[in-house]
Amino acid sequence: MNADEGMWLLNDPPRQHLKEKYGFQLTDDWLEHARLASVRFNSGGSGSFVSADGLVVTNHHVGADCLQKLSPRTKTISVTAFSPHP
């Protein structure tokens, strides 16, 4: 797998490149769906909504930073939130 496509903004996508290389016709509806599914965290990290209930997928360091900021001083959510033994 190569990352030869680079990064691009939703307001300036490489439509012709995607069509020529992958046969993918990028539509305005698809771009709007992608825009509405994206989220920016206050740490500068990004992610995407993957469910109507608000479930978000992101990188570990972004989630860990948010959990640390949300944790009260007496409890570390990142350690206890998903532990089978709180």
Side-chain angles (χ1 to χ4, degrees):
M1 178 184 294
N2 296 319
D4 61 343
E5 289 83 14
M7 293 177 60
W8 46 271
L9 301 175
L10 293 173
N11 64 349
D12 189 25
R15 293 177 192 261
Q16 191 63 32
H17 174 74
L18 294 172
K19 185 176 182 179
E20 290 172 1
K21 187 167 184 178
Y22 302 106
F24 177 65
Q25 183 68 37
L26 188 62
T27 65
D28 289 339
D29 287 340
W30 189 96
L31 287 169
E32 181 67 2
H33 180 81
R35 184 186 69 79
L36 293 174
S38 64
V39 61
R40 171 72 70 178
F41 293 94
N42 71 347
S43 62
S46 61
S48 297
F49 287 104
V50 294
S51 80
D53 296 322
L55 183 63
V56 174
V57 64
T58 188
N59 289 315
H60 178 270
H61 67 277
V62 175
D65 180 65
C66 288
L67 289 174
Q68 181 183 15
K69 289 177 180 174
L70 292 170
S71 293
R73 293 177 193 247
T74 59
K75 183 177 183 183
T76 306
I77 295 174
S78 62
V79 173
T80 60
F82 303 105
S83 174
H85 307 289

